Amino acid sequence: MFSVRFALLFCALSYFPLAARSDIARSSTQQSPKSAGKPNFIVMLMDDMGWGDLGVNGEPSKETPNVDKMAAEGMLFPDFYSANPLCSPSRAALLSGRLPIRNGFYSTNERGRNAYTPQDIVGGIPDYEILLPELLQKNGYRSKIIGKWHLGQQPRYHPLRHGFDEWFGSTNCHFGPFNNKNTPNIPVFKDADMVGRYYEDFPINRQTGEANITQIFINEATSFIEKQAAAGQPFFLYWAVDATHGPVYASPDFLGTSRRGLYGDAVRELDSGVGRILQLLEKLQVDNNTFVFFSSDNGAATYDKAKGGSNGPFLCGKETTFEGGMREPAVAWWPGVVQGGQVSRQTGNLMDLFSTLLDFANIPAPSDRTIDGISLRPALLSNNITDRPIFLYRGDLLMAARVGQYKAHLWTWTNSWTEFQHGTDFCPGQDIKGVTTHKQTNQTASPLLFDLGSDPQEKYVIPPSSLIYKQQMPAILKAVKEHLATLKPGDPQLNWCDPAVMNWAPPGCEKLGRCLPVPKSQPTKCVWVH
């Protein structure tokens, strides 16, 4: 019988000529984390890419050969989660190592509502949160973010104020085009200053989906890596590309090349970027001193149906705390350190990257606050498993918890009947009675229990009268009780909106002669429909 490792290698090798295969079987005698000095780090965070979008996870078109090869050369984490089913809170959690309920990336305007950072949001990442690049910067690293920040767009919240040394990208998602009268187009920044706006200086054709933005993001990444390698400078690259977030886009060389339509074109182009970055690391001979992790901020947007991504076998998608909303594609790669062709059954979370990178850099985590991430080092180096619970929040409400392979829903909700009846469906084709509810349903008196081992689709509720329920539920409820007993929520950052804080006059606009009139301040409570 083939081993899992051999099967992964065989799957990925089928995409590559013999000349490219010799690097896969690297000697285990290469540098260890201890002997290699300060390792470099690259986090590749996709936007709304689903668990089922990777060929290695079963996508039938097999259009991610580079990420699949990355998995064959590294470690696949099939049980890996985001920290929230929506972009901004998930990204805040990754960089802080803390749940959004702790770092303030939530709203109390309405119970259990997802919230994020549109350009009229007043709040952002608080100064009291210590982000990963801040800690790395103090220890000799140079850090760059490429792509979407999404942690607040007022200047005091920008990346260079929170530990990053370089930035090329935007504060917000590439929505638009806007008219620059009621709503300004989203600015693109190079470091501290705006260098243009989406749809104006960085065109996106809403009819064809054509845009060269991903190629710009790829080139920014390779230039940064080359510069740091030449200088012998340890670096952290946060490659937060967003082409798979609607409106989806791709460059001319990729348009029309996928069997999956425009979304597949975007996936193929991002996959090519992964390949270019990994190949460059090998060319520069820094691959055995560079830890690379590939994942996504939340599940695919199933409400886009065939025009969006795939969550594989999992229930529902983005915005929900069902598996499709928070189970993410995840691959780790570090030649000579992480043995290739492995599958880890470690239950992971984006917040674990905070703890893992600090561990490998030999930097202590802050001791004055709760850190929700754990170090994945034991899993990466020895494929050892650390028992830990996973808590799944929607806004300020703890919706579900997972311990081992069992998951309990304390609350259930997809989206409202009103939205559903107007065509917005978070679970298209996946209606499960009593589970995919269209109103917030309190299940805490008898939580809905699922065995994610035998039922990863969350289709079959385990009866409370069953032996399995009686055996497994106490451990989950204990974990929940302990978590809530010590929880100290952060100040909610996503309660207030104001048109005056929008991107009318971003830093650098005066140099371009592109500042827009700022309207009168009119703060109001944000409305979050989901």
Side-chain angles (χ1 to χ4, degrees):
M1 178 180 294
F2 289 147
S3 68
V4 171
R5 178 185 174 194
F6 184 83
L8 272 173
L9 285 167
F10 183 81
C11 174
L13 286 175
S14 65
Y15 290 101
F16 300 95
L18 288 172
R21 299 181 187 178
S22 59
D23 289 339
I24 292 179
R26 288 178 174 268
S27 169
S28 61
T29 62
Q30 290 190 15
Q31 292 178 332
S32 70
K34 292 182 179 179
S35 65
K38 292 181 178 179
N40 307 309
F41 303 119
I42 300 177
V43 173
M44 300 173 168
L45 190 71
M46 305 299 105
D47 200 341
D48 289 6
M49 186 179 286
W51 189 96
D53 281 329
L54 303 186
V56 73
N57 282 344
E59 203 289 314
S61 297
K62 304 293 183 186
E63 294 182 336
T64 54
N66 292 292
V67 180
D68 296 346
K69 180 175 182 280
M70 181 182 177
E73 295 178 354
M75 178 174 280
L76 184 69
F77 287 83
D79 289 78
F80 196 85
Y81 289 83
S82 66
N84 191 268
L86 197 60
C87 43
S88 297
S90 183
R91 293 161 189 264
L94 186 160
L95 292 176
S96 68
R98 287 154 53 83
L99 283 163
I101 192 69
R102 298 192 205 275
N103 63 37
F105 261 62
Y106 68 99
S107 172
T108 56
N109 289 355
E110 288 191 67
R111 182 184 63 192
R113 300 282 174 157
N114 288 325
Y116 68 109
T117 54
Q119 60 168 317
D120 62 346
I121 199 75
V122 172
I125 192 68
D127 286 338
Y128 59 74
E129 288 298 316
I130 302 174
L131 302 192
L132 176 62
E134 296 178 62
L135 295 168
L136 293 174
Q137 187 180 64
K138 292 176 181 178
N139 285 271
Y141 280 79
R142 188 165 185 85
S143 299
K144 180 166 186 171
I145 172 176
I146 298 171
K148 187 167 78 172
W149 172 237
H150 231 35
L151 300 189
Q153 103 268 325
Q154 294 191 69
R156 68 178 181 271
Y157 300 126
H158 284 187
L160 272 59
R161 303 283 186 95
H162 293 273
F164 283 100
D165 301 287
E166 300 181 31
W167 179 25
F168 190 93
S170 60
T171 48
N172 306 89
C173 201
H174 54 276
F175 294 135
F178 301 119
N179 61 12
N180 287 337
K181 295 178 180 179
N182 309 106
T183 306
N185 275 316
I186 303 298
V188 175
F189 289 83
K190 182 173 177 59
D191 299 329
D193 288 338
M194 162 188 165
V195 292
R197 293 181 188 268
Y198 283 135
Y199 297 95
E200 299 172 29
D201 312 276
F202 299 86
I204 303 172
N205 188 313
R206 290 296 296 266
Q207 281 69 48
T208 66
E210 181 179 338
N212 287 317
I213 297 167
T214 295
Q215 291 302 310
I216 297 173
F217 288 163
I218 294 171
N219 292 334
E220 285 286 330
T222 55
S223 296
F224 176 73
I225 293 168
E226 288 173 338
K227 181 179 178 181
Q228 305 318 310
Q233 172 84 37
F235 65 83
F236 168 47
L237 172 60
Y238 179 38
W239 199 54
V241 287
D242 64 354
T244 44
H245 188 296
V248 178
Y249 60 81
S251 67
D253 286 346
F254 290 88
L255 283 176
T257 64
S258 169
R259 297 178 62 187
R260 303 179 62 194
L262 180 57
Y263 182 87
D265 296 341
V267 170
R268 292 192 69 252
E269 185 168 16
L270 293 171
D271 177 78
S272 76
V274 171
R276 282 180 57 185
I277 290 170
L278 298 187
Q279 289 160 19
L280 178 62
L281 295 173
E282 294 171 342
K283 177 183 176 181
L284 298 175
Q285 298 183 347
V286 295
D287 54 320
N288 62 3
N289 196 39
T290 305
F291 174 60
V292 185
F293 201 92
F294 176 98
S295 192
S296 179
D297 61 350
N298 47 249
T302 47
Y303 49 79
D304 283 335
K305 301 178 182 176
K307 294 182 180 180
S310 167
N311 295 313
F314 302 120
L315 184 62
C316 302
K318 177 181 178 178
E319 301 270 10
T320 79
T321 50
F322 296 107
E323 291 296 285
M326 296 189 65
R327 183 100 67 115
E328 307 306 326
V331 180
W333 185 88
W334 193 349
V337 177
V338 175
Q339 187 177 0
Q342 296 187 88
V343 175
S344 174
R345 301 314 309 190
Q346 175 67 56
T347 306
N349 190 290
L350 281 176
M351 295 178 292
D352 298 342
L353 297 178
F354 178 92
S355 300
T356 303
L357 270 57
L358 291 181
D359 191 357
F360 280 129
N362 197 28
I363 299 172
S367 59
D368 63 342
R369 64 200 62 206
T370 299
I371 301 297
D372 294 293
I374 67 169
S375 175
L376 299 176
R377 183 177 185 138
L380 291 162
L381 300 187
S382 305
N383 212 348
N384 291 334
I385 305 300
T386 302
D387 292 330
R388 53 92 67 89
I390 295 285
F391 301 108
L392 297 90
Y393 275 85
R394 188 163 171 166
D396 59 349
L397 186 60
L398 178 59
M399 300 285 291
R402 174 176 172 174
V403 173
Q405 68 184 47
Y406 292 91
K407 178 181 177 183
H409 289 274
L410 309 172
W411 289 78
T412 54
W413 189 37
T414 56
N415 59 315
S416 70
W417 271 115
T418 300
E419 292 174 330
F420 179 73
Q421 290 168 345
H422 283 82
T424 301
D425 186 358
F426 291 167
C427 312
Q430 294 182 307
D431 181 34
I432 300 176
K433 186 177 180 180
V435 178
T436 54
T437 57
H438 286 289
K439 67 175 182 178
Q440 291 183 4
T441 304
N442 189 344
Q443 311 281 7
T444 54
S446 184
L448 305 185
L449 183 66
F450 295 91
D451 181 348
L452 297 180
S454 61
D455 178 26
Q457 304 94 336
E458 297 173 285
K459 287 184 176 180
Y460 309 108
V461 179
I462 297 173
S465 60
S466 69
L467 179 61
I468 293 177
Y469 193 99
K470 294 175 181 177
Q471 289 174 335
Q472 300 299 329
M473 188 57 71
I476 297 177
L477 293 179
K478 179 183 178 183
V480 168
K481 182 178 179 181
E482 292 175 351
H483 167 69
L484 294 176
T486 58
L487 178 66
K488 183 181 179 181
D491 297 331
Q493 298 295 307
L494 308 181
N495 279 350
W496 291 93
C497 290
D498 187 343
V501 305
M502 296 171 78
N503 292 296
W504 305 105
C509 69
E510 68 284 354
K511 300 176 184 178
L512 303 175
R514 300 280 293 281
C515 301
L516 300 170
V518 179
K520 181 180 178 181
S521 177
Q522 294 180 312
T524 59
K525 284 194 172 183
C526 304
V527 177
W528 305 108
V529 295
H530 305 312

